[in-house]
Every structure is written in structure tokens, then in C-alpha cells.
Amino acid sequence: KQEVTQIPAALSVPEGENLVLNCSFTDSAIYNLQWFRQDPGKGLTSLLLIQSSQREQTSGRLNASLDKSSGRSTLYIAASQPGDSATYLCAVSPYNTDKLIFGTGTRLQVFP
Amino acid sequence: DTGVSQDPRHKITKRGQNVTFRCDPISEHNRLYWYRQTLGQGPEFLTYFQNEAQLEKSRLLSDRFSAERPKGSFSTLEIQRTEQGDSAMYLCASRGLAGTWETQYFGPGTRLLVL
């Protein structure tokens, strides 16, 4: 059974810091891995999607890496801003199914 | 607005009542998904449709839950005889058939509180 774990569960940092959020998964048989952002009481917004054949994806100040063989992904946020405050969720898309399996998220607070 | 929409956004009900939620996917998206998210947890998969066919259901979807997508467009999720444990955010998502390189697009969710 695929399990997705995210560390840390919560993070509070001053504005301007570079951050690393971690995601691990137990079964490497995946099509892709995605990082989502969720603001309080809202739906999810996709940030980055990494195909299983790729090693990383970048969008602006965000960079996500994938090491499928070790079951790990990291989301790097450069020069954090208060507007980055949200919960970040990692999700994998397992083979032979079309569903996403999510981790429990990392709640990030960036203070001025 | 061409995003995924859900109605209602909030629902408060008493234990034992039935509730129904609606999801309107992005136009021409063939696949529609339902997830449930409880406080402090990530979303958990409930079921998904390709057009009007329900292709997979989670074991979380007990006999009290039923989902439909009668014309392959909008979908409804009904919970019968609600229980306090059903209190959660119910999220809907949709996706086209572009393959595994396309994300699922999520709606704003329906927050259910069962008293």
C-alpha cells in the first residue's frame, strides 16, 4: 500500500529564508509526483508536476526534485515571502489507477 | 470562469439527515474525482468517473455514500443518514485526457459539519 509522508509537519520562518520541504513515498511505481498549495479553507492549487522519468521541475522561486528509486522528493522555496504562507501537499499518482495519494502536508508560516 | 465549481460551499446538518453536493468540472474534462479531507490531513480519494462511468471507488465510500455523473458533465455526491464522522471538506477535481502529465484541477470544496 502506497504511503506518503511529509516532514516537517509545520514550519515557521522569517521572510527571505530559503526553505526545503520533504516528501517520501513507499512505492516507486508511480506515474508522477505533484506538489500542491492549499490556503486555509480553500481548494488545492497545483504548483509543480514531475513525471517519473524527470528529475526536477522549476517554476519561479520553486524547484521540486524527484528521486524515484529512493522514494523522495523535495520542494525548495527560494527567498520566502509572507504570501507563501499556506499548507504544501505532496501527492503521487500510482500505476494502474487514476487517483492521487496525498501526504498530510507541511504548514508553512513566513513572518515579516 | 472556467474553473471547477462546487455547491454549496458550506453545509451544516443534523445527524441522520441526508445531504447532496454538486460539482461542475472544467468544460470538456472527461475525468471527475471526489476526495474527502479532514482537519490536519491530506485529501483522501473517494471515487472517480470517466464520462458517466464510475471507474473506481474507495473503501472509504460506505453504503451511505453514492456518487453519480448522469450525463458525463456535473456530478453529485450524496451522503445518507449523516454521522458526525462525516464532517469534513469534500473536494472535487477534474482532468482531461492529456495523460499523466496533466494535473487534476481542484474546486474550492464543500465544508460539511454534522451536528
Side-chain angles (χ1 to χ4, degrees):
Chain A
K1 177 188 173 186
Q2 177 74 267
E3 292 184 359
V4 181
T5 304
Q6 291 186 246
I7 294 173
L11 190 59
S12 182
V13 299
E15 182 176 7
E17 280 205 2
N18 300 325
L19 309 171
V20 176
L21 307 183
N22 297 292
C23 172
S24 61
F25 49 96
T26 55
D27 188 340
S28 62
I30 61 171
Y31 289 122
N32 60 51
L33 181 144
Q34 298 183 60
W35 284 92
F36 290 88
R37 169 183 173 140
Q38 186 174 34
D39 292 288
K42 303 289 181 62
L44 281 65
T45 301
S46 179
L47 298 173
L48 291 164
L49 184 154
I50 312 175
Q51 295 295 329
S52 60
S53 58
Q54 298 176 317
R55 297 286 292 184
E56 65 178 346
Q57 282 286 332
T58 298
S59 176
R61 295 182 293 108
L62 305 180
N63 175 277
S65 66
L66 173 64
D67 184 343
K68 199 174 76 160
S69 60
S70 68
R72 295 179 188 275
S73 175
T74 60
L75 178 66
Y76 177 82
I77 303 176
S80 58
Q81 302 171 357
D84 295 329
S85 299
T87 295
Y88 291 80
L89 292 155
C90 165
V92 298
S93 180
Y95 284 167
N96 301 320
T97 180
D98 201 25
K99 64 187 176 188
L100 294 176
I101 298 178
F102 286 85
T104 52
T106 294
R107 190 169 65 254
L108 172 65
Q109 181 181 11
V110 181
F111 53 90
Chain B
D1 184 13
T2 58
V4 178
S5 62
Q6 294 187 244
D7 184 70
R9 295 291 307 279
H10 304 273
K11 179 71 176 179
I12 300 175
T13 190
K14 293 182 180 179
R15 188 176 54 186
Q17 298 295 304
N18 300 341
V19 295
T20 300
F21 309 142
R22 176 177 171 129
C23 171
D24 286 89
I26 293 172
S27 297
E28 300 179 358
H29 273 188
N30 303 82
R31 299 196 177 194
L32 186 148
Y33 310 79
W34 286 98
Y35 293 84
R36 181 173 71 183
Q37 185 178 26
T38 54
L39 203 60
Q41 300 297 312
E44 295 175 292
F45 171 79
L46 292 177
T47 188
Y48 91 92
F49 295 83
Q50 180 169 321
N51 299 315
E52 64 274 13
Q54 189 172 19
L55 296 186
E56 186 173 352
K57 292 195 295 186
S58 164
R59 280 173 286 183
L60 291 175
L61 216 63
S62 73
D63 291 345
R64 297 184 298 106
F65 288 71
S66 63
E68 294 183 344
R69 195 182 183 198
K71 298 182 180 179
S73 57
F74 72 91
S75 175
T76 59
L77 177 67
E78 181 184 15
I79 309 174
Q80 296 182 329
R81 304 181 304 281
T82 53
E83 302 173 355
Q84 289 182 326
D86 297 331
S87 296
M89 173 81 90
Y90 290 83
L91 294 162
C92 176
S94 71
R95 184 167 79 85
L97 286 177
T100 61
W101 50 90
E102 184 177 13
T103 188
Q104 295 180 15
Y105 296 88
F106 281 80
T110 294
R111 183 170 294 281
L112 172 66
L113 177 60
V114 182
L115 301 176

